[in-house]
Amino acid sequence: MTRQIVLDTETTGLNAKLGDRVIEIGCLELLNRRPTGSHFHYYLNPERASEDGAVKVHGISDEFLLDKPRFREIASEFIEYIRGAELIIHNAPFDVEFLEQELALAKLPQLAEHCAGVRDTLKLAKELHPGKKNSLDALCERYGVNNAHRTLHGALLDAELLAEVYLAMTRGQESLAIELEQAPAAAAAPGGVPVERARLVVLVATEEEIAEHAGVLQGIQAESKGKCVWLKLEAPGAA
């Protein structure tokens, strides 16, 4: 069973090294490339103010976050949710740096000790579409994912959109594997033992049916004044 967690964050600013913090985490679970309906979502008190530019992007005010939990208070739940899964993140270095900082402040091991790895969908998109815009909005438009309700950035909403985009981007990679998996299944019994297909039964027309068929063709020939195509095809030497 392949378990993946599509993840996004919102932050107080763009630079973790300058003390910016995570204010929202949104995750959803994929199991064998299918959404399970399982979500992990928290708004967080960053214990500092957000930059004006960041607020314009995500619309989350400092006042709204005052009564929200600190990251350290939900860290164990977050770790348990992502444990053993591959993380799917758009522009992964950005989110990973912030998450690593939050884990360090909570005196917890690094991200790599909790998850199976990180896949960067921005890097993947650049490989698939070099020289083109590969923002989440651009990818939604390219792959026909409806993002009309995305007026502001939100971690859970962006994770849901990214999940659709990621599945669309990687669907071609799965097609050959799916075909290879399905082909043996069609020719095998439930236990995996090959089944010999039954031969098709060919029913030969009786003399009466052949005579009736010939009579129908002669009737068509008469009504069409000698333009019956079937008689022409059955004539000796017809191609």
Side-chain angles (χ1 to χ4, degrees), residues 124-143:
L124 175 61
K126 287 180 177 179
E127 292 171 354
L128 293 173
H129 312 289
K132 295 185 178 180
K133 291 182 179 180
N134 289 300
S135 66
L136 183 55
D137 282 335
L139 291 172
C140 284
E141 182 177 355
R142 189 171 300 145
Y143 287 99

Side-chain angles (χ1 to χ4, degrees), residues 26 32 37 41 56 73 85-86 112 128 142 158 177 185 216 229:
N32 287 345
H41 181 232
K56 289 178 181 177
E73 296 168 349
E86 179 186 45
L128 293 173
R142 189 171 300 145
D158 287 0
V216 170
V229 176

Side-chain angles (χ1 to χ4, degrees), residues 183-210:
V193 179
V195 175
E196 184 178 350
R197 296 184 184 277
R199 293 187 177 183
L200 294 176
V201 177
V202 179
L203 298 177
V204 180
T206 64
E207 291 184 6
E208 291 81 4
E209 290 170 335
I210 293 173

Side-chain angles (χ1 to χ4, degrees), residues 99-112:
L99 291 171
E100 295 285 27
Q101 174 179 264
E102 295 293 346
L103 289 168
L105 290 172
K107 300 186 184 333
L108 292 167
Q110 293 183 336
L111 203 60

Side-chain angles (χ1 to χ4, degrees), residues 78-150:
F78 171 68
I79 288 170
E80 191 58 35
Y81 188 80
I82 67 169
R83 190 180 301 281
E86 179 186 45
L87 304 185
I88 309 296
I89 307 175
H90 200 65
N91 192 17
F94 177 86
D95 297 83
V96 168
E97 182 180 21
F98 274 90
L99 291 171
E100 295 285 27
Q101 174 179 264
E102 295 293 346
L103 289 168
L105 290 172
K107 300 186 184 333
L108 292 167
Q110 293 183 336
L111 203 60
E113 296 192 32
H114 309 299
C115 66
V118 177
R119 181 175 297 198
D120 185 359
T121 51
L122 178 58
K123 180 182 177 183
L124 175 61
K126 287 180 177 179
E127 292 171 354
L128 293 173
H129 312 289
K132 295 185 178 180
K133 291 182 179 180
N134 289 300
S135 66
L136 183 55
D137 282 335
L139 291 172
C140 284
E141 182 177 355
R142 189 171 300 145
Y143 287 99
V145 175
N146 183 7
N147 65 338
H149 51 305
R150 189 193 190 225

Side-chain angles (χ1 to χ4, degrees), residues 180-234:
L180 291 174
E181 289 173 4
Q182 290 178 343
V193 179
V195 175
E196 184 178 350
R197 296 184 184 277
R199 293 187 177 183
L200 294 176
V201 177
V202 179
L203 298 177
V204 180
T206 64
E207 291 184 6
E208 291 81 4
E209 290 170 335
I210 293 173
E212 184 177 353
H213 172 68
V216 170
L217 293 184
Q218 290 298 334
I220 296 172
Q221 179 80 341
E223 290 180 9
S224 63
K225 298 180 179 181
K227 295 181 180 180
C228 180
V229 176
W230 290 277
L231 284 177
K232 289 181 180 180
L233 292 174
E234 290 181 1

Side-chain angles (χ1 to χ4, degrees), residues 8 25 28 37 55 61 72 82 103 115 118 138 155 157 167 211 229:
D8 189 62
I25 299 177
L28 65 86
V55 176
S61 69
R72 59 182 176 272
I82 67 169
L103 289 168
C115 66
V118 177
L157 171 60
L167 292 174
V229 176

